[in-house]
């Protein structure tokens, strides 16, 4: 079982001064803890979180019996989509980034050719598209600039299946790493347009949390560039007959051709569902993403981030109570999202690795070179072919 606390970094990576100077000094967990010195997360404390950051408070201490380490990001930048592809075994390639303005006329022509009604939305400086008066095509203004185009819909006004067709057309003429197709109910195109932002560098897009798109019946599929599911753990395991379940945002960003994927956002719902499924599943692989930590980071809201961590900590504790002797749990992240750094984007940080199971021996597994080491470890545990990237640390954690 893998739980990804989205955006929960434990300190800037060594290459930040050269590649992301805006992230200098980032440490998502320590900065939350210093802003909230009375914060107590007993489950993550038990799993060795304070050992990883080499820091104690009056409420959270080192643990002698923990199994822990941290991992570098091999992918460029600090990206949820590529972070998850890396976790499940993809060797990251250098992405191509550009603003929507470089492609907007071609996208517009493509959609018109396929029978869609489009119109341009003119911001202060840049343009984006409105399609069928129900969705927008624009830059993603929450991830690293130039890394994704968003197709954002009010799905009361257009079926998600139709939105996905539009997203695939956008993908077909775009070179950015991701085209993210998503929508929610209970909102209108006016709500979406009221959340439009323009950012330096010629970017224009919709601030998704402000639009309300996450609030009701959220749907999302990420369309990646150059991602081969055949070399990833979910496909490898599924092809060998093992049950594979992806939950939360993991269901949106990881392909799972033989298993089951359940997309949801709210932390309590996601983790309660994981507990329910784990209690029923005798053998299998579960990967769950807790997205609301990342959303709080984007909102630069320390209080909200701490509240999400409290909820997650409590429910991870409940999950641990259900584990049998053979189960292995890894709690980790995909990048950082320091709410105190002074910008609303992801931060390039090491991620924690906290490992638990009755057969797992206390040890420090050190600093891993890639998130793919987690996927490689899962593959070795099940005795299947390894993914294309990563080195297993199973021999370190199991007798």
């Amino acid at each position: 079982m893998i739980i990804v606390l989205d955006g929960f970094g434990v300190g800037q990576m060594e290459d930040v001064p050269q590649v992301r100077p805006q992230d200098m000094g980032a440490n998502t967990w320590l900065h939350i803890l210093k802003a909230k010195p009375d914060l107590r997360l007993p489950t993550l404390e038990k799993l060795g979180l304070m050992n990883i950051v080499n820091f104690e408070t009056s409420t959270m201490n080192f643990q002698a019996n923990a199994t822990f380490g941290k991992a570098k990001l091999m992918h460029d930048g600090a990206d949820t989509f590529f972070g998850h592809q890396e976790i499940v075994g993809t060797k990251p390639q250098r992405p191509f980034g550009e603003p929507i303005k470089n492609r907007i006329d071609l996208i517009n022509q493509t959609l018109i050719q396929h029978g869609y009604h489009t119109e341009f939305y003119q911001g202060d400086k840049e343009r984006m598209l409105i399609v069928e008066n129900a969705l927008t095509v624009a830059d993603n203004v929450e991830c690293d600039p130039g890394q994704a185009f968003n197709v954002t819909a009010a799905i009361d006004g257009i079926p998600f299946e139709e939105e996905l067709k539009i997203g695939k057309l956008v993908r077909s003429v775009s070179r950015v790493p991701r085209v993210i197709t998503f929508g929610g109910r209970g909102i209108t195109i006016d709500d979406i347009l009221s959340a439009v932002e323009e950012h330096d560098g010629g970017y224009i897009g919709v601030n998704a949390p402000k639009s309300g798109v996450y609030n009701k019946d959220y749907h999302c599929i990420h369309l990646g560039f150059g991602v081969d599911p055949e070399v990833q753990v979910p496909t490898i395991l599924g092809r060998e007959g093992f049950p594979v379940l992806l939950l939360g945002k993991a269901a949106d960003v990881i392909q799972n051709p033989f298993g089951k994927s359940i997309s949801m956002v709210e932390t309590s719902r996601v983790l309660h569902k994981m507990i329910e499924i784990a209690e029923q599943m005798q053998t299998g692989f579960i990967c769950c993403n807790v997205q609301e930590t990342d959303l709080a980071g984007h909102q630069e809201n320390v209080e909200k981030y701490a509240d999400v961590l409290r909820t997650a900590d409590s429910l991870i504790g409940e999950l641990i109570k259900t584990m049998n002797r053979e189960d292995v749990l890894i709690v980790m992240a995909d990048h950082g999202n320091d709410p105190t750094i002074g910008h609303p984007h992801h931060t390039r940080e090491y991620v924690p690795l906290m490992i638990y199971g009755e057969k797992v021996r206390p040890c420090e597994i050190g600093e891993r070179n890639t998130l793919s080491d987690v996927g490689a470890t899962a593959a070795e545990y099940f005795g299947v072919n390894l993914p294309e990237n990563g080195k297993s640390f199973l021999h370190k954690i199991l007798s």
Side-chain angles (χ1 to χ4, degrees):
M1 297 182 288
I2 299 170
I3 295 176
V4 180
L5 298 176
D6 202 314
F8 189 60
V10 289
Q12 73 170 58
M13 283 183 54
E14 58 196 12
D15 61 358
V16 160
Q18 291 76 42
V19 301
R20 287 173 71 93
Q22 70 271 27
D23 295 345
M24 287 286 291
N27 193 316
T28 302
W29 168 231
L30 275 189
H31 289 161
I32 291 169
L33 191 59
K34 289 179 179 180
K36 305 285 295 180
D38 296 329
L39 179 62
R40 177 92 199 283
L41 304 175
T43 304
L44 296 184
E45 177 188 31
K46 173 183 176 181
L47 298 182
L49 180 56
M50 305 311 288
N51 303 52
I52 294 171
V53 292
N54 194 31
F55 184 79
E56 290 184 294
T57 69
S58 60
T59 58
M60 295 194 66
N61 303 113
F62 301 142
Q63 299 294 306
N65 293 319
T67 307
F68 64 94
K70 62 182 181 179
K72 296 178 181 179
L73 311 183
M74 184 178 280
H75 67 275
D76 284 3
D79 185 82
T80 294
F81 179 81
F82 281 103
H84 281 73
Q85 308 313 311
E86 187 178 336
I87 289 169
V88 295
T90 288
K91 187 173 183 178
Q93 306 299 314
R94 184 175 294 276
F96 181 90
E98 64 179 346
I100 192 80
K101 65 181 181 180
N102 290 9
R103 293 272 151 181
I104 195 165
D105 289 318
L106 178 57
I107 291 169
N108 183 51
Q109 293 167 12
T110 302
L111 294 178
I112 291 173
Q113 288 170 1
H114 285 80
Y116 291 103
H117 176 265
T118 68
E119 57 184 297
F120 285 103
Y121 175 96
Q122 181 63 55
D124 292 337
K125 296 181 180 179
E126 305 299 340
R127 300 178 299 163
M128 62 185 214
L129 279 177
I130 302 172
V131 184
E132 297 296 328
N133 200 37
L135 62 83
T136 57
V137 181
D139 291 302
N140 182 310
V141 292
E142 293 149 47
C143 72
D144 290 348
Q147 296 303 294
F149 296 159
N150 278 5
V151 181
T152 309
I155 58 175
D156 289 325
I158 187 170
F160 183 70
E161 294 75 17
E162 194 65 34
E163 182 194 4
L164 184 57
K165 292 178 183 178
I166 294 169
K168 289 179 177 179
L169 290 172
V170 175
R171 170 76 280 170
S172 71
V173 294
S174 301
R175 297 181 292 173
V176 290
R178 282 185 292 159
V179 172
I180 309 173
T181 305
F182 61 97
R185 299 193 184 279
I187 62 169
T188 67
I189 188 64
D190 290 335
D191 294 317
I192 293 172
L193 295 177
S194 70
V196 171
E197 297 178 354
E198 292 190 56
H199 289 196
D200 292 343
Y203 296 93
I204 183 171
V206 176
N207 182 313
K210 288 182 181 178
S211 74
V213 73
Y214 293 127
N215 296 342
K216 183 179 179 182
D217 197 21
Y218 176 65
H219 288 59
C220 180
I221 291 181
H222 289 238
L223 304 171
F225 182 78
V227 172
D228 180 9
E230 294 297 320
V231 302
Q232 297 182 336
V233 170
T235 300
I236 295 169
L237 287 174
R239 198 178 292 281
E240 294 292 330
F242 290 100
V244 175
L245 180 78
L246 305 180
L247 275 171
K249 195 170 184 178
D252 302 332
V253 299
I254 301 171
Q255 295 190 47
N256 187 20
F258 301 101
K260 184 176 182 181
S261 299
I262 304 174
S263 178
M264 55 181 72
V265 177
E266 199 270 317
T267 302
S268 180
R269 286 187 63 218
V270 171
L271 290 173
H272 273 118
K273 190 67 175 178
M274 185 170 187
I275 292 168
E276 174 190 327
I277 291 167
E279 288 179 321
Q280 298 169 354
M281 183 184 286
Q282 289 297 313
T283 299
F285 175 85
I286 306 173
C287 183
C288 166
N289 175 285
V290 174
Q291 186 181 358
E292 287 189 312
T293 41
D294 189 55
L295 298 179
H298 285 308
Q299 294 165 11
E300 302 177 74
N301 189 330
V302 173
E303 189 70 42
K304 182 175 180 179
Y305 206 129
D307 286 342
V308 176
L309 286 174
R310 290 188 189 98
T311 299
D313 185 83
S314 175
L315 290 171
I316 294 169
E318 293 300 312
L319 175 67
I320 285 173
K321 292 177 184 177
T322 73
M323 290 173 61
N324 64 42
R325 182 168 171 76
E326 302 299 323
D327 292 340
V328 175
L329 170 67
I330 298 177
V331 181
M332 62 181 301
D334 50 350
H335 50 72
N337 199 336
D338 190 334
T340 72
I341 198 67
H343 64 71
H345 303 297
H346 296 160
T347 43
R348 184 167 175 81
E349 299 181 50
Y350 293 95
V351 306
L353 297 174
M354 295 169 278
I355 305 146
Y356 180 82
E358 283 191 40
K359 289 188 173 182
V360 173
R361 61 185 174 208
C363 67
E364 183 174 358
I365 65 169
E367 183 182 294
R368 313 303 298 187
N369 287 325
T370 171
L371 308 183
S372 294
D373 287 2
V374 172
T377 301
E380 185 180 1
Y381 178 80
F382 285 104
V384 299
N385 290 334
L386 297 182
E388 72 171 351
N389 194 39
K391 294 182 179 179
S392 171
F393 50 77
L394 192 70
H395 63 287
K396 287 181 174 285
I397 64 172
L398 293 185
S399 300

